[in-house]
């Protein structure tokens, strides 16, 4: 497994691989990897000649009061996991390598980035879109893999790739969960034992929605109220948002009459956790 | 010479050419071509296997009160000129092809776009940066050619390519002028005969600066005042800006003690004309 820190070295390697006709799969990450990331790596390995994973805690996608400094890091463990799962290349640049002197360019989406996480994290998605554009230009992948836990991020990337005519296939992969249902996240390390129990409120909400749909409830307002009630019955929880949205545009929907996504952001202690589920509505 | 209107067709052609190992030169234009554009095309033809020219009057780089509807167009004449000068491919999409349903992504630069033309044209450079990003992703050129008349545009593109790690060499080419000194521009057709004479005020200004430098004047304020005096001695002129700036950052400079650029935007009648000149300062 090769490790590159410099953009020029990474680009040269990719140029060589492409000249040999190799296909490149790409898994961009912020490191502190878990089984969710590994599912992306394995999918990439099985569909591409070469798999590149980037590990870069991107400062521009954190707000001034967020957890940039505290964000967990363990490069050696990450390398071991990637090696074991068949990744070929790690791109691991310093922030100064990515944001050089005089850097002043931003890729920004309107609308789709101004709902859900975009409300409490106003600079987040411009940071994501910009760094992903840069990484795509550096790694030049045929396919790029993103998990569905960050559902809004996945839709933002899809939209950006379409809008800017980027030559990359965006592959969205299912959420990977712990045995009890908690969506895997690098931020789960912030949870103490009682918070870890309360964190099940997020995935548990989807059972609440299922039950409501079975009872014929299609009114979004009711659905959201019942979710809030369920979540707040768990100690240490504070709701950032509970939303029912259109699966692509992420526009809020009033009723569950077509496919929709339930998206949640909930503070459990100090950890801000997100989760979501796609509900297919059967009109048969 | 091939003409493509659709992004997918253009991309497929480029993919085929690249698979054959061909190098691609790209000249993005808004059409109504003149010798300035042709100098870019000929440079591209001499340095690349294939030359692509795009003709697209990009609506997003015009402000609401600007000349989008009036902007001159003559596709047949453009084709004949391009054919004669050796271009291989024209990309000529409709606005709806470039900006599809739900389009919401913008590439934007701060600082460098907020001076000079950016003051009176606040949406202009985001429009340029976004469409050039799209065109680069569609045409995937090895080299892209831009004239120096739009000096700020050239610097914005260079900065964007660097910031976003785009794999394209940006080639800046000298301003092409009419015999009497007027910088060639598609917008020169807006000039009636008396305005055409007054339009020489722009290129004539640089002679004023030359003379001042010879006299040992290095104070930017004096230089700009003398230019203004000279320009306003021509009828039908109204100054948008007169600036002395750093050649790359475009930050205003107070004195001519290192290389600098004089950049001008002047209304002559209804036509807003721009011109500039790079002054090398010899400290030998």
């Amino acid at each position: 497994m090769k490790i590159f820190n410099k953009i020029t070295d990474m680009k040269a390697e990719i140029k060589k691989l492409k000249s040999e006709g190799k296909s490149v799969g790409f898994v961009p990450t912020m490191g502190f990897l878990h089984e969710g990331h590994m599912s992306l790596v394995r999918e990439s390995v099985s569909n591409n000649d070469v798999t590149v994973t980037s590990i870069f805690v991107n400062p521009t996608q954190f707000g001034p009061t967020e957890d940039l400094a505290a964000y967990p890091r363990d490069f050696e463990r990450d390398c071991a996991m990637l090696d074991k799962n068949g990744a070929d290349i790690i791109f691991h640049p310093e922030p100064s390598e990515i944001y050089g002197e005089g850097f002043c360019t931003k890729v920004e989406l309107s609308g789709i980035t101004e709902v859900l996480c975009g409300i409490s994290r106003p600079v987040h998605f411009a940071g994501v879109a910009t760094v992903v554009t840069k990484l795509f230009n550096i790694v030049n992948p045929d396919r790029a893999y993103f998990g569905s836990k960050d559902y809004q991020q996945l839709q933002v990337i899809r939209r950006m790739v379409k809008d800017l005519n980027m030559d990359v296939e965006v592959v969205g992969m299912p959420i990977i969960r712990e045995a009890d249902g908690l969506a895997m996240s690098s931020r789960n390390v912030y949870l103490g034992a009682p918070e870890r129990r309360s964190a099940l409120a997020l995935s548990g909400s989807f059972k609440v929605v299922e039950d409501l749909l079975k009872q014929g409830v299609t009114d979004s307002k009711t659905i959201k109220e019942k979710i809030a009630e369920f979540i707040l019955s768990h100690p240490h929880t504070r709701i950032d948002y509970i939303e029912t949205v259109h699966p692509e545009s992420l526009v809020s929907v009033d009723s569950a009459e077509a496919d929709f996504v339930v998206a949640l952001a909930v503070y459990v202690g100090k950890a801000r956790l997100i989760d979501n589920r796609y509900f297919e509505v059967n009109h048969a």
Side-chain angles (χ1 to χ4, degrees), chain A residues 7 97-99 103 129-139:
Chain A
I7 292 169
E97 176 72 5
I98 295 295
Y99 302 110
F103 183 90
T130 305
V131 81
V132 170
T133 297
K134 285 172 64 69
L135 291 169
F136 281 1
N137 285 333
I138 293 165
V139 175

Side-chain angles (χ1 to χ4, degrees), chain A residues 48-121:
Chain A
N48 300 278
D49 298 321
V50 176
T51 290
V52 180
T53 301
S54 62
I55 297 181
F56 179 61
V57 182
N58 176 36
T60 68
Q61 70 191 67
F62 289 79
T65 63
E66 291 180 5
D67 59 342
L68 172 61
Y71 197 84
R73 292 161 169 88
D74 191 340
F75 185 63
E76 283 190 27
R77 200 188 60 164
D78 290 346
C79 288
M81 287 177 78
L82 289 170
D83 197 25
K84 197 176 147 205
N85 283 273
D88 305 284
I89 295 170
I90 301 176
F91 181 51
H92 183 230
E94 289 293 321
S96 61
E97 176 72 5
I98 295 295
Y99 302 110
E101 202 194 325
F103 183 90
C104 64
T105 304
K106 194 163 67 175
V107 180
E108 203 164 21
L109 290 83
S110 57
I112 192 171
T113 62
E114 295 166 89
V115 296
L116 306 180
C117 291
I119 295 170
S120 59
R121 308 189 74 188

